[in-house]
Amino acid sequence: ALVHFFDFAQLNSVRTLPYLRAWSERYSGDGLAMIGVHSPRFPFTQGHDVVAAATERLGVDWPVIVDREFAVWRLYEPHGWPALFLWGRGGALRWYHLGEGDYAGTEEAIREELAGSGNGHDWPPLVEPIRPSDAPEAKVVAPTEEIFPGGSTEDPWPQADADRRLQLDYEAGGAYAATDGEGEIFLSLNGEPVEPVRVTHPGLQELTSHDHSERHRLELEPSPGLLIYSIQFAAGVPAVS
């Protein structure tokens, strides 16, 4: 069984999901069981209904435990999101990985465990890297650290009487906002207005995306009723010189 700890508004968690969907499709017929554990990172990601809607939207079709009180988290002590635990026959832990990356290593561990059943397998090549930064030998530029405009994961921004404009500089492969509510996020990049982001559900919203790690100044302004809990940045590969 492959156990995946995640939060649907946490960037690293969401970026692992395409690989999990591919593994589920490839290996469930050979005996791979998958279990998601949603341990909430933000106040707005705690409710059962909102988790159920988010997992459906994200294409998670395996069972998910809503770990609102962090009971399963305390048993595993994953230390962060996402985390993968591969359990083998007899309850032995065969593989563990924290964070993004080493998708080939996880898939190889899955194959090794399934091959122990003694059945013959004619598997396709490993899942191709979805992003350049996922390639096994990729050089990756560390992105700007996550920003909490309200002060913490618990405190949204903006408050009712606060300035609704936020300006920040970043270096990354893209910028994303963890949001609650509905509305629009008005954006400008390096002083030039760009298409607003329409927000229709709580979760992670893509603000910008780049082919390589790039430096930019981002200004954003959420419409009334829309709350931002964090701005998260994706790792990217260096630009080709």
Side-chain angles (χ1 to χ4, degrees), residues 10-235:
Q10 205 267 349
L11 178 61
N12 296 18
S13 295
V14 173
R15 282 163 62 95
T16 63
L17 288 175
Y19 292 96
L20 271 75
R21 289 194 295 266
W23 298 335
S24 176
E25 181 178 340
R26 285 185 170 196
Y27 304 116
S28 60
D30 291 313
L32 177 66
M34 296 180 57
I35 301 171
V37 182
H38 189 277
S39 302
R41 190 163 181 255
F42 302 98
F44 71 93
T45 62
Q46 293 182 8
H48 183 277
D49 290 346
V50 74
V51 173
T55 53
E56 181 178 1
R57 186 173 61 249
L58 293 169
V60 176
D61 60 1
W62 49 89
V64 173
I65 299 169
V66 180
D67 188 31
R68 183 171 181 172
E69 304 299 328
F70 281 73
V72 183
W73 181 281
R74 287 191 292 272
L75 290 174
Y76 277 76
E77 296 186 351
H79 305 296
W81 299 261
L84 289 168
F85 296 82
L86 178 65
W87 295 96
R89 291 174 301 278
L93 182 62
R94 301 299 189 188
W95 175 262
Y96 162 72
H97 186 75
L98 173 63
E100 293 186 61
D102 202 3
Y103 299 109
T106 300
E107 188 170 3
E108 288 170 348
I110 291 169
R111 291 185 176 192
E112 182 178 346
E113 180 59 27
L114 294 176
S117 64
N119 298 325
H121 299 280
D122 184 19
W123 285 312
L126 298 175
V127 175
E128 288 289 326
I130 294 170
R131 297 166 287 261
S133 58
D134 295 342
E137 304 301 323
K139 294 182 178 179
V140 177
V141 178
T144 295
E145 291 187 4
E146 184 174 11
I147 294 172
F148 301 99
S152 74
T153 59
E154 299 293 320
D155 300 308
W157 174 87
Q159 299 297 323
D161 57 348
D163 187 349
R164 302 192 67 85
R165 292 170 295 176
L166 178 66
Q167 183 180 95
L168 56 94
D169 296 315
Y170 73 88
E171 181 176 9
Y176 299 76
T179 66
D180 191 19
E182 298 182 2
E184 288 186 302
I185 304 175
F186 301 97
L187 302 171
S188 68
L189 196 64
N190 304 322
E192 296 295 327
V194 296
E195 189 73 19
V197 175
R198 176 65 182 165
V199 179
T200 60
H201 54 76
L204 194 68
Q205 320 298 333
E206 181 181 289
L207 304 178
T208 64
S209 180
H210 315 299
D211 293 334
H212 305 90
S213 182
E214 300 178 6
R215 295 182 179 181
H216 293 285
R217 170 159 292 186
L218 179 65
E219 297 181 32
L220 57 88
E221 181 178 352
S223 60
L226 188 60
L227 299 174
I228 295 178
Y229 281 79
S230 84
I231 308 294
Q232 304 168 43
F233 303 97

